[in-house]
Amino acid sequence: MKIKDFSKLDKSSYLSKAFTAGRRSWRIKVYPKGNAEAKGDSLSVFLELVDGDKLPPKKTVWAEYKLRVLDQRHDKHVEETISHWLTSSSH
């Protein structure tokens, strides 16, 4: 997902188009000015399981992924590898 004119973004969050990986549908959610404890201080980026709220109770999905943020102005790139169990309440 490439974000154009990042400094001009005015919504609190943005969602990517859905994409498929590991037979599941995902999208990336970006908060340009952060969210929760990071609000106003950071860029917040999340991987979201599409329709994850419709998982049956006790059903879990293991996700292991790498998120990269490329800073084209200052070359301060960030990369995180994350692994997490997802449920209907935390998707």
Side-chain angles (χ1 to χ4, degrees), residues 16-43:
S16 73
K17 292 180 182 177
F19 60 92
T20 302
R23 297 183 314 230
R24 299 247 180 223
S25 186
W26 306 89
R27 58 188 171 195
I28 296 172
K29 189 167 193 175
V30 175
Y31 295 84
K33 293 179 175 56
N35 79 322
E37 353 19 273
K39 192 166 190 155
D41 293 327
S42 303
L43 167 70

Side-chain angles (χ1 to χ4, degrees), residues 26 47 61-67 81-86:
W26 306 89
L47 179 67
V61 174
W62 177 251
E64 188 170 301
Y65 53 97
K66 185 178 291 189
L67 289 175
T81 300
I82 301 135
S83 53
H84 191 71
W85 284 104
L86 303 171

